[in-house]
Amino acid sequence: MTCVFCKIAAGDIPSHKVAETDRVLAFLDVKPLATGHVLVVPKRHAERVADMPPEDAHAVMDVAQRVLRRLSGALGAEGATVAWNDGRAAGQEVQHAHLHVVPRREGDGFGPVHALFTKRPETSAPQLQEIAAKLRG
Ligand code: AMP
């Protein structure tokens, strides 16, 4: 087994565990973007979000919701950025799907996820219609 998050899920690499269920482990990110940055991972290996069985995806979200409540209750977080880096193109470095839960505070200066996208495409209403139709399949 070479996957670092599989090793953490198996207890072969130590982690600062925050929550655990039969399907999911949540632990502190070792290089936090903000104090209390948590990673929520399915125990069963899946590289990408779309690779997870729905039961694991649902279980990850359930645990993320619990973590969000704890971040505001125990650490006084005022908000959170909740994000998947899904795929290398999106900056995913560990190839085992994981949901970042990053606590936020008013005035922390980091902005929304929208701040990542500095060159936004101009999209007309007909183009939006066409894209939505493609996505509906
Ligand atoms: P990503 O770029 O979305 O793949 O993020 C991977 C995250 O995993 C980074 O924020 C790393 O700091 C974190 N990370 C890598 N190895 C460990 C580890 N052993 N324990 C906790 N977090 C880790």
Side-chain angles (χ1 to χ4, degrees):
M1 192 203 295
T2 54
C3 170
V4 64
F5 288 174
C6 283
K7 285 183 179 165
I8 287 176
D12 296 339
I13 291 181
S15 68
H16 296 281
K17 199 185 294 183
V18 171
E20 184 169 16
T21 69
D22 54 340
R23 290 182 179 273
V24 171
L25 186 67
F27 52 94
L28 291 181
D29 192 302
V30 76
K31 289 185 186 161
L33 299 175
T35 303
H37 178 177
V38 173
L39 300 175
V40 187
V41 310
K43 288 183 177 176
R44 190 188 325 194
H45 185 83
E47 194 169 314
R48 301 281 299 274
V49 178
D51 298 333
M52 280 187 287
E55 296 80 7
D56 282 359
H58 301 164
V60 165
M61 201 57 220
D62 284 347
V63 170
Q65 189 183 43
R66 201 188 312 163
V67 167
L68 285 162
R69 292 197 182 109
R70 293 295 298 154
L71 286 176
S72 63
L75 292 190
E78 295 169 302
T81 294
V82 181
W84 305 91
N85 290 328
D86 185 38
R88 289 175 206 272
Q92 183 177 352
E93 289 181 356
V94 174
Q95 306 309 315
H96 178 134
H98 51 280
L99 185 61
H100 291 265
V101 181
V102 185
R104 300 293 304 273
R105 288 190 175 279
E106 292 291 341
D108 63 16
F110 296 127
V113 169
H114 292 59
L116 286 172
F117 298 88
T118 51
K119 288 176 280 177
R120 301 187 197 184
E122 291 290 331
T123 313
S124 66
Q127 284 172 321
L128 290 174
Q129 217 165 21
E130 189 186 325
I131 294 161
K134 277 186 188 164
L135 291 175
R136 282 193 300 271

